[in-house]
Amino acid sequence: MIIAGTAIGAGMLANPTATSGVWFIGSILLLAYTWFCMTTSGLMILEANLHYPTGASFDTIVKDLLGNGWNVINGLSVAFVLYILTYAYITSGGGITQNLFNQLFSSPESAIDIGRSSGSLIFCIVLASFVWLSTKAVDRFTTVLIAGMVVAFFLSTSDLISSVKTEVLFNQIAQGEQQYLPYILTALPVCLVSFGFHGNVPSLVKYYDRDGKRVMKSIFLGTGIALVIYILWQLAVQGNLPRAEFAPVIEKGGDIAALLGALSQYIQTDYIGVVLNFFAYMAIASSFLGVSLGLFDYISDLFKLDDSLSGRTKATLITFLPPLLLSLQFPYGFVIAIGYAGLAATIWAAIVPALLAKATRQKFTSSSYQVYGGNFMIYFVILFGVLNILIQIAAQFNILPTFLG
């Protein structure tokens, strides 16, 4: 549940728009390729982690296996990505919390506005308390959120899936340009962000008391749930909204309101919008818990904080205070920074895990768990990471073709 909850963020709603250039078959192939590479890289972190004491996270493992240089690069990318995502989820969750409280406590006679800052504070403090308590508390609450997400997801997509038209899904009524391959590269980094869970691997090693097989099953099941939900969502959207009609949605950056507005021409979407808001809120909350748990364990390892009440309190303050204060000061300022989060995530979610697996096999003669595929798989994952970095750099300079609808 922690793996699935971390992966299935509110960003999944952008997937159909980001992959509209390659359309349904292309998007399924991209999602499957990314799922395989990201799941494998997560297992590579597991392989390395099992050779170190319980509680060891990226700082300890990377420093010992790859040296101080790689540890600094990896540490900066881990901290940047996890802090930026925690900040992003506080601001997004704070806005929805504000709207929710205002609707609950307002009446026709008196309107109440608790304010964006209060919404962010409530959202952060309530959810941070679960991280402070224990990994088990995060697991239990995330299970509730995932169950709610699944119900909301199927309520919102059942009508869409039942009304899928094959001629739309396979673009047989196409108008305008008919090229797909030129847009395959621009969609790949978006898919990568959709399978980010790697910060949670050390937390699960600790939670499952170093049982590598149970952690492996958790990773496969969690990412598998995410993949199935992504594919069903692609089917629901791209089976109803023709490829040529994505222009206004792309223009607004994949905004969910714009997507529902475009879909409303083909199917009744009033209640779908309401249910999707619930889905988005639970997705944000579960992703916030997963991301901040990974950051919490990284901070604990970095500053050598123990599992006592004092140690967990210090780690909680270091984990949540910086993004909370940033959110209160700049409630709408994460858009530019989050654009670079994917680039940093590629380093520690693809390239570093592969290098860790290679170094682990050279340093330790025996292993309780080893990832499939041998050296070929290590280079396969490194190639995936390098490809994503090159694509993101090319995108910054507007070198790659972009689908506009």
Side-chain angles (χ1 to χ4, degrees):
M1 292 301 104
I2 289 172
I3 296 290
T6 306
I8 308 168
M12 88 160 241
L13 300 173
N15 274 352
T17 307
T19 60
S20 57
V22 293
W23 206 235
F24 183 67
I25 298 297
S27 68
I28 301 308
L29 293 173
L30 278 179
L31 284 168
Y33 168 58
T34 305
W35 167 80
F36 178 76
C37 290
M38 292 290 275
T39 299
T40 304
S41 68
L43 294 173
M44 287 173 173
I45 296 172
L46 169 64
E47 181 182 334
N49 206 330
L50 289 171
H51 290 281
Y52 292 86
T54 302
S57 190
F58 289 93
D59 183 67
T60 297
I61 300 164
V62 177
K63 188 186 292 180
D64 186 58
L65 287 174
L66 302 180
N68 283 327
W70 269 109
N71 190 43
V72 169
I73 294 169
N74 187 69
L76 288 172
S77 63
V78 169
F80 177 74
V81 171
L82 296 183
Y83 268 122
I84 282 294
L85 289 177
T86 303
Y87 164 51
Y89 289 132
I90 290 173
T91 55
S92 302
I96 302 177
T97 303
Q98 176 195 2
N99 294 336
L100 186 65
F101 270 71
N102 292 347
Q103 287 173 6
L104 283 174
F105 297 110
S106 292
S107 63
E109 294 79 27
S110 62
I112 292 174
D113 187 359
I114 65 166
R116 182 65 171 259
S117 296
S118 299
S120 295
L121 274 169
I122 293 167
F123 179 83
C124 182
I125 291 170
V126 170
L127 293 180
S129 63
F130 286 92
V131 177
W132 172 74
L133 279 169
S134 67
T135 303
K136 189 168 188 174
V138 173
D139 178 35
R140 294 293 182 264
F141 191 51
T142 304
T143 302
V144 174
L145 290 171
I146 290 282
M149 280 170 61
V150 169
V151 171
F153 179 80
F154 282 106
L155 281 175
S156 61
T157 57
S158 55
D159 277 2
L160 288 172
I161 290 173
S162 64
S163 62
V164 164
K165 303 169 189 69
T166 53
E167 63 272 20
V168 174
L169 191 65
F170 298 110
N171 202 30
Q172 293 166 347
I173 55 165
Q175 298 172 356
E177 65 148 297
Q178 296 305 299
Q179 295 187 49
Y180 302 96
L181 282 177
Y183 308 114
I184 200 162
L185 294 178
T186 51
L188 194 59
V190 180
C191 296
L192 180 144
V193 175
S194 300
F195 289 101
F197 65 90
H198 299 67
N200 298 126
V201 176
S203 308
L204 289 176
V205 170
K206 183 178 173 182
Y207 181 50
Y208 280 127
D209 197 25
R210 310 176 62 76
D211 188 337
K213 287 187 177 178
R214 290 188 76 188
V215 180
M216 179 194 71
K217 287 178 184 175
S218 295
I219 291 171
F220 268 114
L221 283 170
T223 57
I225 290 168
L227 179 65
V228 169
I229 285 181
Y230 290 150
I231 290 173
L232 288 173
W233 181 239
Q234 295 288 116
L235 177 71
V237 175
Q238 294 183 347
N240 285 283
L241 184 62
R243 185 173 182 248
E245 301 297 320
F246 265 88
V249 188
I250 293 168
E251 196 178 331
K252 293 189 177 177
D255 179 67
I256 186 63
L259 181 61
L260 290 173
L263 276 169
S264 65
Q265 299 174 49
Y266 300 91
I267 188 170
Q268 183 66 31
T269 60
D270 291 347
Y271 86 95
I272 293 174
V274 175
V275 180
L276 275 179
N277 276 328
F278 279 104
F279 172 83
Y281 193 39
M282 288 181 281
I284 288 167
S286 63
S287 291
F288 173 83
L289 285 170
V291 165
S292 59
L293 177 65
L295 180 58
F296 176 92
D297 283 330
Y298 175 72
I299 294 293
S300 298
D301 180 46
L302 181 64
F303 295 108
K304 305 297 180 261
L305 299 170
D306 60 25
D307 218 21
S308 66
L309 180 64
S310 170
R312 292 190 73 85
T313 302
K314 288 174 186 173
T316 300
L317 291 172
I318 298 169
T319 299
F320 293 104
L321 264 184
L324 176 60
L325 293 174
L326 202 62
S327 175
L328 297 177
Q329 187 67 33
F330 305 104
Y332 305 100
F334 70 87
V335 175
I336 297 171
I338 209 168
Y340 296 96
L343 188 62
T346 307
I347 296 169
W348 68 274
I351 293 174
V352 166
L355 295 176
L356 287 176
K358 187 172 176 60
T360 298
R361 292 169 196 178
Q362 290 171 345
K363 181 167 182 171
F364 302 101
T365 52
S366 62
S367 180
S368 61
Y369 174 78
Q370 186 167 313
V371 181
Y372 45 78
N375 284 331
F376 169 78
M377 198 56 65
I378 289 173
Y379 295 116
F380 188 78
V381 172
I382 289 174
L383 179 64
F384 169 75
V386 170
L387 185 62
N388 268 279
I389 287 174
L390 292 175
I391 290 167
Q392 290 175 76
I393 292 171
Q396 293 295 323
F397 292 97
N398 297 314
I399 296 172
L400 297 175
T402 305
F403 180 69
L404 299 174

